[in-house]
Amino acid sequence: MEQYKKNDVLTVTIEDMGHDGEGIGKINGFPLFIKDAVIGDTVLAKIMKSKKNYAYARLEKVTMPSPFRVEPKCPFYRQCGGCQLQTLSYEKQLEFKQNKIRNHLIRLGGFKERFIDRVMEPVIGMDNPYRYRNKAQYPVGTDKNGKPVAGFYAGHSHTIIANTNCYLGDEKNQQILETVLAFMEKYKIAPYNETTGEGLVRHILIRTGFTSGQIMVYFVLNSRRKKNGAYFPHQDELLEALKRTEGMAAIGVSLNREKTNVIMGKEAENLWGSPTIWDRIHIRREETRGGQREFIPTGQALDFNISPLSFYQVNPVQTEKLYSLALEYAGLDGSQTVWDLYCGIGTISLFLATRAKQVYGVEVVPQAIEDARENARRNGIDNAQFFVGRAEDVLPRKYEEEGIFADVIVVDPPRKGCDEACLRTMLLMKPERIVYVSCDSATLARDLRVLCDGGYEVKRVRGCDQFCMGVHVETVVLMSRKEK
Ligand code: SAH
């Protein structure tokens, strides 16, 4: 194989895409990884870093655009690290995600291709894949003229790309951000500087309940305490200005003085309005109508209070499909005992509780468990009980001390997947079914292998596109126990 030198410029056709959305083209079998190149493009690419068996190259020019290439909506698309697939047609994005899940299950999970193709159904897409996000956390910094800016980090860096109008988020976010930035400029309130650890405003969190129309704005501050009864000078003036935004329901702060990538601090304090906002999620049922499979509302819905430190799914339209699918996979008839691990504010738990005898939820964030308990009350559900703690601590402890039992276990862990101790206890509990909801198909594949080696078999696999334009994909898997 030939090797290339830095700054060599080559013509190459993109034949494949990596899991981070980068284009992959080969010259005489030597692969080039080219960010921003789309499958089907022929491009001029400049070698940036050459290794023995592959090289990273920069897209210089698209000489022949791919039939799957589309104009990105966002003018900052190429610099911004927020999304990676905006130049790929949405249909092709779904295919990319389908392949990503499939490849992970085969390569990392050790499942046979033929088997995966039999159990896997097509990924569920969105009709309108923009403006879907109900939450954004904007880093705040300073531009080269010393003005405060907010936006998104560039890919793999902490450089802020100033942009108050992200096409994935709510339109109202722009007005809110502009108000905050103008206020900071007027009163010389300093953005946080990651290098020096100085400055006050680190992030602005904006969350919207799409059903309720309620908006929550939280400032993440590099501060220890209030001075003269406020976190920053002229605080009331900013609150007054923000209250004028239609739907504004909650404004607060979270203090974070750590040098860390974790955005929010450990606590949050409400400064105005209510400590939570609410949202409604409809329970749907998948049906075939006019040859099309659709998620039709059942008429039943649940309402959820969400506090600033609690996790809540970012794509409410797809969440209804995701949860409805998880509920269908759970196969409940009112007689089952169900454990919902990594339960957040109890969203999946309460969906399950509408069809189960008893549900137990486990979650590590105490504020989320407070929300979960309140959400059970709010929906008149009395067969759901919640425990604060890590799933890998709570489940083994309850199993050893109380011999807890489950007909069905649902897990929805963060990207790193389930802890070994958690998986081991799940196997000891011998539930009839396990429903695995995953936001990272690589760790999903790893965990499914453990569960399959422990006596389970994969019955159904389905992706759900919660992160249109981005490379992540949510997956729901149904497993059942082999020996009865
Ligand atoms: N099922 C919920 C939350 C999923 S996100 C929903 O759909 O909204 C994953 C959740 O797991 C987060 O709420 C996070 O706080 C929680 N978590 C992370 N590590 C955990 C652990 N080790 N044990 C229990 N919960 C954990």
Side-chain angles (χ1 to χ4, degrees):
M1 268 198 243
E2 206 168 337
Q3 280 196 30
Y4 298 96
K5 291 190 305 294
K6 190 170 158 70
N7 294 332
D8 282 355
V9 177
L10 306 155
T11 292
V12 58
T13 298
I14 307 301
E15 294 159 20
D16 203 355
M17 288 177 79
H19 289 159
D20 293 325
E22 70 278 23
I24 304 174
K26 285 183 181 161
I27 302 184
N28 301 325
F30 185 86
L32 302 181
F33 293 90
I34 310 167
K35 190 179 151 310
D36 300 316
V38 161
I39 190 162
D41 278 344
T42 298
V43 302
L44 273 182
K46 189 184 206 171
I47 303 286
M48 304 309 288
K49 197 190 242 178
S50 192
K51 304 265 188 180
K52 193 156 163 260
N53 297 317
Y54 60 92
Y56 294 103
R58 204 176 71 188
L59 174 65
E60 292 288 296
K61 194 177 166 208
V62 180
T63 47
M64 182 132 60
S66 158
F68 312 115
R69 179 175 269 282
V70 294
E71 266 309 299
K73 262 190 199 280
C74 172
F76 305 102
Y77 168 67
R78 230 183 130 172
Q79 299 112 285
C80 179
C83 42
Q84 300 76 24
L85 300 177
Q86 243 188 68
T87 48
L88 186 64
S89 72
Y90 188 57
E91 212 173 295
K92 232 20 198 181
Q93 289 185 25
L94 294 178
E95 196 180 307
F96 164 83
K97 293 184 183 187
Q98 184 82 5
N99 286 335
K100 179 171 176 167
I101 300 169
R102 184 179 179 275
N103 286 340
H104 278 151
L105 293 177
I106 293 165
R107 296 202 190 134
L108 305 175
F111 295 97
K112 293 251 175 355
E113 275 184 36
R114 284 231 312 272
F115 173 74
I116 293 301
D117 292 337
R118 189 157 52 78
V119 293
M120 196 169 167
E121 294 162 85
V123 59
I124 305 163
M126 275 192 104
D127 291 336
N128 183 3
Y130 281 99
R131 298 268 182 225
Y132 61 82
R133 282 188 69 102
N134 60 15
K135 174 185 165 182
Q137 304 180 106
Y138 301 86
V140 182
T142 308
D143 73 4
K144 53 182 186 305
N145 305 317
K147 266 178 70 157
V149 291
F152 296 89
Y153 291 126
H156 305 292
S157 93
H158 272 209
T159 308
I160 297 172
I161 306 297
N163 175 17
T164 53
N165 182 23
C166 170
Y167 283 98
L168 302 191
D170 200 88
E171 279 178 61
K172 282 190 187 145
N173 294 356
Q174 182 165 29
Q175 180 195 336
I176 295 166
L177 291 171
E178 300 292 350
T179 302
V180 178
L181 293 173
F183 172 83
M184 287 176 66
E185 199 180 353
K186 179 173 170 194
Y187 291 115
K188 306 268 174 289
I189 295 171
Y192 179 64
N193 178 323
E194 282 188 338
T195 319
T196 63
E198 285 167 8
L200 182 67
V201 186
R202 294 174 70 127
H203 276 84
I204 303 166
L205 161 81
I206 309 178
R207 203 174 224 180
T208 308
F210 277 15
T211 307
S212 64
Q214 288 190 317
I215 301 173
M216 166 184 277
V217 177
Y218 269 68
F219 302 103
V220 185
L221 303 179
N222 174 37
S223 166
R224 226 189 293 276
R225 68 180 82 84
K226 290 182 205 180
K227 285 192 194 111
N228 307 323
Y231 285 102
F232 40 84
H234 309 279
Q235 181 175 299
D236 286 342
E237 186 178 318
L238 179 60
L239 299 191
E240 283 309 315
L242 288 175
K243 281 184 326 197
R244 285 197 281 275
T245 308
E246 192 195 332
M248 190 60 64
I251 308 175
V253 297
S254 179
L255 306 185
N256 184 356
R257 287 180 52 87
E258 313 274 314
K259 279 206 165 183
T260 162
N261 285 341
V262 177
I263 295 177
M264 298 292 277
K266 290 200 171 54
E267 306 286 333
E269 182 185 333
N270 183 253
L271 298 179
W272 175 83
S274 122
T276 57
I277 56 170
W278 72 273
D279 198 20
R280 174 168 298 162
I281 307 181
H282 296 87
I283 303 181
R284 292 171 179 262
R285 190 175 40 234
E286 196 175 24
E287 284 176 14
T288 304
R289 287 200 176 173
Q292 293 265 2
R293 281 166 93 186
E294 275 179 59
F295 285 86
I296 313 287
T298 58
Q300 203 179 359
L302 297 172
D303 290 349
F304 296 96
N305 282 5
I306 312 153
S307 59
L309 296 177
S310 300
F311 176 90
Y312 184 62
Q313 298 282 349
V314 297
N315 184 333
V317 170
Q318 293 298 89
T319 297
E320 293 196 343
K321 302 175 189 171
L322 178 75
Y323 287 176
S324 301
L325 196 61
L327 183 62
E328 186 198 326
Y329 281 12
L332 305 176
D333 63 11
S335 68
Q336 288 90 349
T337 298
V338 187
W339 280 77
D340 178 25
L341 309 178
Y342 313 87
C343 70
I345 62 171
T347 42
I348 296 180
S349 322
L350 299 183
F351 261 59
L352 296 164
T354 61
R355 314 252 169 101
K357 188 169 94 192
Q358 178 68 38
V359 176
Y360 300 100
V362 183
E363 158 67 45
V364 75
V365 174
Q367 291 91 343
I369 288 291
E370 277 172 39
D371 289 343
R373 291 181 179 138
E374 175 55 29
N375 289 332
R377 269 193 295 278
R378 189 176 173 143
N379 292 287
I381 289 175
D382 57 11
N383 60 337
Q385 200 185 336
F386 296 96
F387 305 103
V388 183
R390 300 192 305 170
E392 59 271 30
D393 298 335
V394 174
L395 203 68
R397 195 179 66 231
K398 293 255 167 208
Y399 181 73
E400 277 155 32
E401 290 173 6
E402 299 167 32
I404 51 161
F405 164 86
D407 294 292
V408 179
I409 297 180
V410 178
V411 298
D412 183 7
R415 282 190 202 149
K416 69 172 188 245
C418 293
D419 188 272
E420 253 186 79
C422 178
L423 294 172
R424 222 177 305 126
T425 311
M426 286 164 65
L427 291 174
L428 290 171
M429 287 171 72
K430 296 191 166 57
E432 209 172 300
R433 283 185 291 284
I434 296 172
V435 179
Y436 197 131
V437 182
S438 157
C439 55
D440 183 328
S441 45
T443 56
L444 168 73
R446 177 199 70 196
D447 291 351
L448 292 187
R449 174 45 51 208
V450 174
L451 294 170
C452 283
D453 290 347
Y456 284 80
E457 65 187 340
V458 171
K459 290 291 188 185
R460 296 176 73 177
V461 178
R462 188 116 176 241
C464 185
D465 192 16
Q466 303 282 104
F467 312 107
C468 319
M469 310 299 145
V471 289
H472 292 292
V473 61
E474 198 84 7
T475 314
V476 194
V477 176
L478 169 64
M479 309 185 80
S480 74
R481 202 155 80 86
K482 271 192 274 187
E483 80 274 22
K484 298 283 170 192

